[in-house]
Every structure is written in structure tokens, then in C-alpha cells.
Amino acid sequence: MEKIRGWEQETLVKELHQGYELTKQLKHHIGPLTSPESCEFLVHKIISTYDRALSILNFGDSAGEFQQVAGTFEPPQPLTGGSPMSEASDQCHKDAYKKRKTSPRWTEQVRVCSGKGTGDDGYTWRKYGQKDILGANFPRAYYRCTHRHVQGCLATKQVQKSDADPSIAEITYRGRHTCIQSPALASSGKEFAKQKKDQCQPHLLEENQIPLFNFGTGFKTEEMGIMEETFPSFSFPSSPSKSQNVETISFLEPLKEKNFLGSDSLEFLSLLEFPIDNFGFGEDLQLSESDLSEIISAPTSVTNSPTGNLDFFSLDQVDFDPNFQFDTSEFFS
DNA sequence: CGGATTTGACCCTT
DNA sequence: AAGGGTCAAATCCG
């Protein structure tokens, strides 16, 4: 069995505890006088909690699939045979490793400003390795989310300068951010926009500048298959035209179809639908800094989920506090 | 002094 | 065995 590090165990316990508390809350909500919306909300939170716990136990993105098909409570692999910490066969270990390698992965090509070659994307990353890659002129740098230990965020990214043009860095993201970026870090995102406005020469901001949230040219994902399977009606524009400048991701549609959401939930969740290009900081920066700050500090994982799973509206981002008490009147009054 | 980076070693896959 | 990805001790830096 792959060893579980201290912080992982801590996070695991926290997540399982939260799942337990939420289930208790759900129990109280089940009854003739309670709204189905609040139950659904709790169910989503519980699923997200177990999703993170399963991720730590090497179910990797499979847990995400589990979450995506919230209607069918069937994890990809049974958790039978005692505690998760118990010994497992080598084969099981290898399977787990393979699953981990299938976590969401997508690549962006970013033209970087001089001095900062890591592609500031509003998240805070911590470098944990660098490797010379065969046939590449530049080493590949490995980053993971700064909040990995604290919040168990498993997002990582690899940054490699292009051989042909050192001013272009290919950034491969892997895994979703499950962390909450602090306001201070959100201001780093602000800095990101400011940097674009003030420091970069205009010619550096043209078509190759593909920062986070921009699903246009230069962006590719290896998870389209999964997404297609999960949300057949969901698609990214493969070659966006100018007329698609204000394109709305209707990630709620599949949920409406599957009757996951009641009308009240939809009304609330619709607030999370947004014109996607506003997040691209596209060619002509349309956002004010206050807008940008609002967006980046918004505690949703909408900002980093091209996989199109339910994390798009994962309200569990609201808190990580095991003592969190959910008051439905706040949301569904 | 605490957090971030560097870098050689180790592990896993092919 | 080679190459890619991660770990963790050493080092750096504010």
C-alpha cells in the first residue's frame, strides 16, 4: 500500500469527519416538511467531501467520476476489506497509481513576460522539482498548489519553455483546485492583470497569451473523452470566433436534464453561470480590477475545471470547516 | 525563523 | 535500462 503522509491522513480524517457531520445534517433535513433542494445541497457537499477523501486514497479522478454521477452511488472500486490503511496487494497499488495518472490534465501555451516564466494564473504554486527532459533545451519545472498540505488541494502544473520560442511556456495543469485561495492571493491575480496592463508590451499579449479560463486557441485538454461521456451536451468551442466573445458555459443544462436540481436550486446556481470570455482576460482586458478581484476571490472551483464535472458548481468550496453548520435559509429563502 | 526553492535520490512506467 | 515524476534534505531568502 502506498504510504499515506501525515498531512494526507489529517486531511482524510477531516474530510471523513465532515462527511459524517453533513450526513447527520442530512438526516435532520429528511422529512415531509423539508425542501428537496436543501437535501440535494447537502448530498452534493457530502459527495464532494468523500471525493476528496477518495482522492487521497488514490482513487484519483475516479472519485470525480463518482461525484459526476451523483445519482448512482457506486464508487469505482469497492472499499471492502477493512480500513483504507490496511495492506493491499502490489497489483492494487499499481492500479491505484494508474488511476492517479488519469487525473484531469490540460495544456496551455502561454507567452510569458520577461522575468516571470511560470505563467501567473492567479493561483499560488510551490515548486517541488525540476527535471531535464530528453530532447528539450529547457528543464521542466514541477509545481503543486501551495495549499496541498493545508487543504489537501491536489492540483499540480508543469512548466516547460518551448524550444522554438523561449518566450512561450507550455503549462500542463493536472488535477482540480479544491483549495480556497486567500484574499491576499487573489490580489496576486490582480497583480496578474496589472502586469498584463502595465508591464507587458502589447505585442506580448496577442494570440499566444492564453491564461487561465480561456478556452480558445492554444488550449487543449486530454479529458474531452471523460467530459463528453459525462456531459454530452457540454462542449468547448474548438476554434472560437470573434462572435463567440461572450460565450456562456451552461454547465447546469445536464443537471436540469437529469433532474438533479429543483427550480430553487437552479435559480441560485444560475448565479454561477457567467460569460466565459470575461475570465480569459482576452485580447482587450474588459474587466475592471474590482471585477477581477471579485472573480478570483470567488470561492468556487468554476475557475479551474475544464473537466466539466459537478465541481463546476461545487458549493463545498464555501468552507472547509468541519464545524460548518449549513443554514438553508441563507440560500433558499 | 518560517516558507520557498534547489537538487540528488528514489520510485514507477514503458 | 531509460526517462519522467516525486520526495525530502539542504539551502536560500525575506
Side-chain angles (χ1 to χ4, degrees), chain A residues 213-257:
Chain A
F213 321 139
N214 189 329
F215 300 105
T217 313
F219 172 91
K220 62 183 178 187
T221 177
E222 299 171 23
E223 300 301 315
M224 290 302 187
I226 290 174
M227 192 165 64
E228 180 66 23
E229 186 182 322
T230 311
F231 289 125
S233 66
F234 188 100
S235 66
F236 291 109
S238 56
S239 53
S241 63
K242 297 286 180 185
S243 63
Q244 290 173 299
N245 256 358
V246 181
E247 171 133 2
T248 299
I249 294 183
S250 189
F251 54 85
L252 297 178
E253 280 306 315
L255 303 168
K256 293 174 189 169
E257 286 170 19

Side-chain angles (χ1 to χ4, degrees), chain A residues 107-110 158-162 168-172 220:
Chain A
T107 303
E108 298 175 9
Q109 289 190 347
V110 176
Q158 302 173 1
V159 178
Q160 182 152 29
K161 278 187 183 179
S162 164
I168 294 179
E170 186 167 274
I171 304 179
T172 301
K220 62 183 178 187

Side-chain angles (χ1 to χ4, degrees), chain A residues 49 53 74 78 109 112 125 134 152 177 202 219 222 296 298 306 326 331:
Chain A
T49 296
E74 201 165 354
Q109 289 190 347
V112 296
W125 302 93
L134 193 75
H177 277 277
F219 172 91
E222 299 171 23
I296 292 178
F326 173 62
F331 295 95

Side-chain angles (χ1 to χ4, degrees), chain A residues 3 20 49 56 63 66 69 91-92 98 120 139 159 169 175 262 272 316:
Chain A
K3 66 177 178 181
Y20 172 73
T49 296
I56 292 172
F66 171 40
V69 288
Q91 189 55 48
C92 186
K98 281 176 189 171
D120 188 350
V159 178
L272 297 178
D316 64 288

Side-chain angles (χ1 to χ4, degrees), chain A residues 35 37-38 264-265 267-268 326-333:
Chain A
S35 71
E37 286 79 19
S38 58
D264 289 344
S265 301
E267 189 178 338
F268 168 63
F326 173 62
D327 181 5
T328 53
S329 63
E330 281 179 36
F331 295 95
F332 304 112
S333 55

